[in-house]
Amino acid sequence: MNKKIKLLASLSAIAFLAGCATDVKDCDPNSGDVSLVTKFNCQYSGTYQKRIDDRQKQLTDETALNSELKSVVKELQQELNRQDMEFGEAKAINDAARGRLNNLLQNLKQKTSSSQSLQAQINEIETLVNQSPQSNSEIEKRLQLEELKSKVSQLEQDLGLGL
């Protein structure tokens, strides 16, 4: 009988130790109903702690990434705000120049009412000034500005004001 007890104890120990060979998947608390032996083995083998440590590292990494992303978003927003301010300032300067130019053209129209060619040039410049560009392209705006500058210079020469 003593042999039977030893054999039974040996078989129980082997069965119990076989439970120590638990897989990481077996130690997932979300996997469903896990036996008490498996839970003990997961705890004893350190699989639960490894899982906790892995999740903590993942959380730390994702928190750092989130912080970095927030920083980048903040920098981009600051750049957009700066560009909006520059655009607003440039638009205000442009609007003021356009208003002064329109006033000047109105005065020139009155003073040169006897000359058809000068009136045509003034009308052409007025049309260019009051055209709203179809595109917001900086290159197209620059080209339009250069054309306007050229027309105004030609008008200056025709009026005898050019140097």
Side-chain angles (χ1 to χ4, degrees):
M1 176 123 167
N2 205 6
K3 267 185 165 182
K4 286 185 178 183
I5 292 177
K6 284 183 180 179
L7 182 63
L8 188 58
S10 296
L11 287 175
S12 297
I14 290 173
F16 184 73
L17 290 176
C20 288
T22 55
D23 192 14
V24 176
K25 294 182 287 184
D26 296 335
C27 293
D28 184 1
N30 298 322
S31 65
D33 191 24
V34 180
S35 71
L36 184 62
V37 173
T38 304
K39 288 179 185 178
F40 174 76
N41 288 335
C42 289
Q43 180 66 33
Y44 180 72
S45 68
T47 308
Y48 277 152
Q49 188 60 46
K50 182 174 178 351
R51 180 180 167 81
I52 290 169
D53 293 343
D54 289 347
R55 292 287 172 105
Q56 186 65 38
K57 183 181 180 320
Q58 181 182 8
L59 177 64
T60 302
D61 292 345
E62 288 179 2
T63 301
L65 179 64
N66 188 24
S67 176
E68 190 174 331
L69 286 172
K70 283 183 179 181
S71 174
V72 168
V73 167
K74 183 179 177 183
E75 288 173 15
L76 289 173
Q77 187 61 47
Q78 288 172 343
E79 177 64 19
L80 282 173
N81 291 343
R82 185 187 64 75
Q83 286 181 358
D84 285 346
M85 205 163 45
E86 287 176 1
F87 178 75
E89 290 171 359
K91 185 173 179 337
I93 291 169
N94 187 15
D95 289 346
R98 185 175 294 206
R100 287 192 309 270
L101 186 55
N102 277 328
N103 289 340
L104 176 65
L105 291 174
Q106 290 303 317
N107 289 338
L108 282 175
K109 267 186 172 182
Q110 291 172 358
K111 291 180 180 177
T112 61
S113 59
S114 61
S115 172
Q116 292 289 337
S117 65
L118 291 176
Q119 289 289 318
Q121 284 180 323
I122 292 170
N123 288 337
E124 190 175 343
I125 292 172
E126 256 184 341
T127 303
L128 279 175
V129 169
N130 294 323
Q131 272 182 345
S132 58
Q134 295 287 335
S135 169
N136 287 337
S137 165
E138 291 298 319
I139 295 172
E140 288 181 19
K141 287 179 183 178
R142 177 152 316 252
L143 289 173
Q144 186 181 24
L145 200 58
E146 289 294 327
E147 182 183 356
L148 183 60
K149 183 178 169 186
S150 169
K151 299 267 186 205
V152 169
S153 294
Q154 181 63 42
L155 181 61
E156 271 183 333
Q157 288 177 356
D158 290 347
L159 289 170
L161 300 173
L163 299 173

